[in-house]
Amino acid sequence: MGVHIVMDQTGDSRHTFNPADPQAVEEAEKRFKELTGAGFTAAERTGNGEAQVTRAFNKDATETLFFPRLKGG
């Protein structure tokens, strides 16, 4: 199972998908493109609490984290 973890001002939301299901992969890729297009940074978990920034959708990533753009104030 893959999961997209979207961080925002209210906490986080999780969206799971089955990488073997073409329709679920299509929806996950659409979510990835929408979030990164809206300014979110995507990072794939690589293990031991580490993550690596990614700019391309990877259906085989176990967890992808989405961080919102920082806002100055």
Side-chain angles (χ1 to χ4, degrees):
M1 278 304 210
V3 63
H4 287 169
I5 303 170
V6 183
M7 310 296 288
D8 63 21
Q9 65 274 12
T10 63
D12 67 80
S13 58
R14 295 169 184 262
H15 307 271
T16 59
F17 66 95
N18 181 348
D21 178 350
Q23 184 175 0
V25 169
E26 184 178 326
E27 290 173 17
E29 184 170 14
K30 180 180 175 186
R31 182 182 314 106
F32 182 96
K33 290 179 179 179
E34 286 175 355
L35 289 167
T36 56
F40 280 77
T41 298
E44 291 179 17
R45 290 247 178 141
T46 58
N48 295 330
E50 297 179 14
Q52 181 174 4
V53 172
T54 184
R55 304 208 189 293
F57 174 72
N58 176 4
K59 74 177 184 80
D60 296 317
T62 304
E63 287 186 345
T64 305
L65 305 160
F66 295 89
F67 302 95
R69 179 177 293 157
L70 295 176
K71 297 180 183 178

